[in-house]
């Protein structure tokens, strides 16, 4: 299997490419995430990136308080994303990051699990952002396949985080299967 850090880098690049495709008139455009427009989606992913260095350094949800709540993008959303994603990626590349215990909202977890979750979120939301702004929706096939394998063909949280899985053809490609597990219809 491809190295998880490489997969994360690919997912980060996929999302970043879509961020750079946002036109000034699209910040309020709807996304496949029914509760989020383009601004909200970027704010969500930026917030996730801001959490990474803090959590990998041993921080807890309680200690963070509301530090990562609200509008984190400010007046320069793309620049804010760039800084947050760079700092997140740097934290992941530190020796031992995947072996650390991370204090997440659902409890303590290994850094490797947290990185899989972050990689998954970046890839799926890259598609969401592409769909919202009319950019290329194709996700790297090896990345999509690795994420489907990681999920074991199971929904990552239907009901709580995602819509129930959507039906797909038996011969559907990895991207279609990945998106269907989150209730997205291609």
């Amino acid at each position: 299997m491809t190295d998880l850090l490489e997969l994360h880098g690919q997912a980060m690049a996929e999302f970043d490419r879509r961020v750079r495709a946002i036109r000034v008139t699209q910040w309020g455009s709807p996304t496949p995430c029914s509760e989020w427009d383009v601004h909200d989606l970027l704010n969500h992913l930026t917030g996730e990136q801001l959490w990474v260095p803090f959590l990998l350094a041993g921080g807890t949800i309680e200690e963070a308080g509301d530090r990562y709540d609200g509008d984190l993008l400010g007046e320069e959303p793309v620049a804010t994303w760039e800084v947050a994603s760079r700092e997140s990626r740097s934290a992941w590349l530190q020796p031992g990051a995947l072996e650390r215990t991370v204090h997440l909202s659902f409890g303590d977890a290994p850094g490797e699990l947290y990185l899989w979750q972050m990689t998954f979120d970046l890839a799926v939301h890259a598609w969401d952002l592409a769909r919202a702004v009319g950019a290329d929706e194709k996700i790297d096939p090896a990345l999509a396949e690795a994420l489907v394998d990681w999920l074991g063909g199971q929904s990552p949280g239907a009901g709580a985080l995602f819509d129930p899985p959507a039906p797909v053809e038996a011969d559907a490609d990895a991207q279609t299967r990945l998106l269907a597990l989150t209730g997205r219809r291609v």
Side-chain angles (χ1 to χ4, degrees), residues 7 33 48 51 67 71 83 92 95 100 105-106:
L7 291 171
C33 305
E48 284 192 341
W51 274 100
R67 174 184 321 188
D71 182 3
V83 171
W92 283 117
R100 294 181 190 154
S105 60
F106 59 84

Side-chain angles (χ1 to χ4, degrees), residues 41-120:
L41 180 60
L42 182 57
N43 192 64
H44 167 67
L45 268 291
T46 300
E48 284 192 341
Q49 305 319 305
L50 291 171
W51 274 100
V52 170
F54 177 77
L55 292 174
L56 287 178
T60 67
I61 304 293
E62 295 77 25
E63 290 170 344
D66 62 0
R67 174 184 321 188
Y68 305 111
D69 292 346
D71 182 3
L72 304 167
L73 297 177
E75 296 297 318
E76 298 291 333
V78 175
T80 303
W81 158 256
E82 290 170 347
V83 171
S85 63
R86 182 180 63 240
E87 295 300 315
S88 171
R89 184 73 179 147
S90 293
W92 283 117
L93 294 173
Q94 295 299 311
L98 275 65
E99 291 79 38
R100 294 181 190 154
T101 298
V102 185
H103 310 291
L104 302 173
S105 60
F106 59 84
D108 289 353
E112 182 177 0
L113 174 62
Y114 182 36
L115 184 56
W116 273 113
Q117 292 173 339
M118 296 293 289
T119 303
F120 167 81

Side-chain angles (χ1 to χ4, degrees), residues 97-177:
L98 275 65
E99 291 79 38
R100 294 181 190 154
T101 298
V102 185
H103 310 291
L104 302 173
S105 60
F106 59 84
D108 289 353
E112 182 177 0
L113 174 62
Y114 182 36
L115 184 56
W116 273 113
Q117 292 173 339
M118 296 293 289
T119 303
F120 167 81
D121 219 35
L122 284 161
V124 170
H125 287 314
W127 181 86
D128 292 333
L129 189 53
R131 170 89 19 133
V133 302
D136 176 20
E137 296 179 7
K138 186 160 179 57
I139 302 295
D140 178 83
L143 172 61
E145 190 69 51
L147 289 168
V148 169
D149 289 348
W150 173 65
L151 290 169
Q154 301 298 311
S155 172
L161 301 173
F162 300 100
D163 290 337
V168 295
E169 299 293 324
D171 62 347
D173 64 22
Q175 176 175 323
T176 301
R177 289 182 286 131

